[in-house]
């Protein structure tokens, strides 16, 4: 891992990789969304409202996946002292919060005609809302450490990222542990309860959003490294 601790070496890989992730991700997303909107039939129970799953499910996946990435980056930062791990954690936080917000919004829109309510304080929705507030807290701590001259996040922020990961399995198992309006697990290792006619575009949007998420994280890491370089140069000039 320390082979890429040098920012110049990392940037040499990150620049082309950003392009390779962004454009295929965008193409897959457009294919999946287009097919989900105009090709697949309406659900026999939920009608056309089921089409929101092509946005809602990837958003939920990336909201949880983003915090998992923060936790991994925090572990690498605390144990191996990898200098880019802190930058990665800070870069993941904003897009992770964005997709978590998209998940909550689309879930409410989906729930209104399906359940008859915009919001219900059940396990899945509440734990996802907690995740959004965790993101906001992490972003605030990371910004505070950046103002103090840290290039990425402080050890306190990294510990917060690790502790917050406790919420991820709670979100995942909430529909199993507690009674919930939210449907149970639709896609598991044993198969899917979603009809294949509706399911296949989801693969495109899920992969497309994931590639775009990775591209955004790389772009943010590059921006943070560039900002750190400018700030270090300004500090040297001020001392001189």
């Amino acid at each position: 891992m320390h082979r890429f601790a040098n920012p110049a070496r990392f940037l040499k890989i990150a620049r082309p990789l950003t392009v390779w992730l962004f454009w295929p991700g965008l193409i897959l997303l457009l294919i999946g969304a287009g097919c989900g909107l105009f090709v697949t039939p309406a659900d026999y129970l939920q009608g056309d409202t089921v089409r929101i799953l092509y946005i809602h499910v990837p958003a939920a996946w990336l909201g949880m996946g983003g915090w998992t990435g923060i936790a991994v980056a925090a572990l690498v930062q605390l144990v191996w002292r990898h200098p880019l791990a802190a930058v990665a954690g800070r870069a993941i936080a904003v897009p992770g919060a964005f997709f978590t917000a998209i998940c909550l919004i689309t879930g409410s829109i989906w729930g209104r005609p399906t359940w008859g309510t915009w919001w219900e304080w059940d396990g899945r929705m509440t734990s996802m809302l907690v995740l959004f507030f965790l993101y906001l807290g992490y972003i605030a701590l990371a910004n505070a450490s950046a103002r103090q001259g840290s290039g990425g996040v402080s050890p306190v922020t990294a510990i917060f990222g690790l502790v917050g990961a406790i919420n991820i399995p709670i979100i995942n198992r909430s529909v199993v542990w507690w009674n919930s309006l939210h449907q149970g697990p639709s896609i598991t290792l044993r198969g899917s309860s979603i009809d294949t006619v509706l399911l296949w575009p989801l693969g495109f949007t899920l992969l497309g959003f994931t590639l775009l998420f990775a591209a955004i994280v790389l772009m943010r890491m590059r921006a943070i490294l560039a900002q750190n370089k400018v700030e270090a140069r300004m500090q040297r000039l001020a001392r001189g």
Side-chain angles (χ1 to χ4, degrees):
M1 292 186 295
H2 283 278
R3 289 179 56 201
F4 305 105
N6 185 306
R9 186 176 298 168
F10 168 78
L11 290 172
K12 186 177 180 180
I13 298 172
R15 287 191 186 99
L17 186 58
T18 302
V19 178
W20 298 339
L21 291 170
F22 180 84
W23 289 111
L26 182 60
I27 292 170
L28 289 170
L29 172 59
L30 292 175
I31 292 173
C35 293
L37 285 173
F38 304 112
V39 177
T40 59
D43 182 70
Y44 76 102
L45 285 177
Q46 300 183 46
D48 285 323
T49 59
V50 75
R51 301 184 194 279
I52 205 168
L53 77 89
Y54 302 115
I55 304 297
H56 178 73
V57 173
W61 154 254
L62 290 172
M64 293 188 290
W67 195 275
T68 302
I70 287 175
V72 171
L75 182 65
V76 173
Q77 176 188 349
L78 293 171
V79 175
W80 289 282
R81 307 291 183 183
H82 196 292
L84 288 180
V87 176
R90 185 177 166 196
I92 292 170
V94 172
F98 175 77
F99 278 103
T100 302
I102 292 294
C103 172
L104 291 168
I105 293 169
T106 54
S108 294
I109 295 172
W110 195 354
R112 182 64 180 89
T114 305
W115 304 328
T117 180
W118 292 99
W119 186 264
E120 181 69 26
W121 293 98
D122 74 343
R124 173 59 61 86
M125 288 180 263
T126 303
S127 56
M128 204 69 194
L129 181 62
V130 168
L131 178 63
F132 178 69
F133 288 132
L134 286 172
Y135 270 117
L136 296 184
Y138 185 93
I139 292 168
L141 288 172
N143 289 341
S145 64
R147 286 193 295 270
Q148 294 172 2
S150 173
V153 297
S154 66
V156 173
T157 310
I159 292 171
F160 181 83
L162 278 176
V163 173
I166 296 172
N167 192 44
I168 300 302
I170 294 175
I171 295 173
N172 181 259
R173 303 302 296 171
S174 58
V175 292
V176 177
W177 292 341
W178 300 294
N179 291 327
S180 174
L181 281 176
H182 196 285
Q183 68 190 59
S186 300
I187 303 174
T188 65
L189 295 176
R190 297 179 180 178
S192 172
S193 60
I194 303 175
D195 192 284
T196 307
V197 176
L198 298 173
L199 181 64
W200 65 269
L202 181 59
F204 285 92
T205 58
L206 191 60
L207 182 56
F209 272 120
T210 301
L211 293 178
L212 285 176
F213 186 92
I216 292 169
V217 170
L218 287 178
M219 285 189 284
R220 284 181 51 78
M221 288 184 70
R222 291 164 55 191
I224 291 169
L225 289 172
Q227 182 182 5
N228 292 345
K229 185 176 181 180
V230 171
E231 290 177 353
R233 185 178 299 171
M234 295 296 292
Q235 289 175 2
R236 287 196 300 269
L237 291 173
R239 288 195 296 267

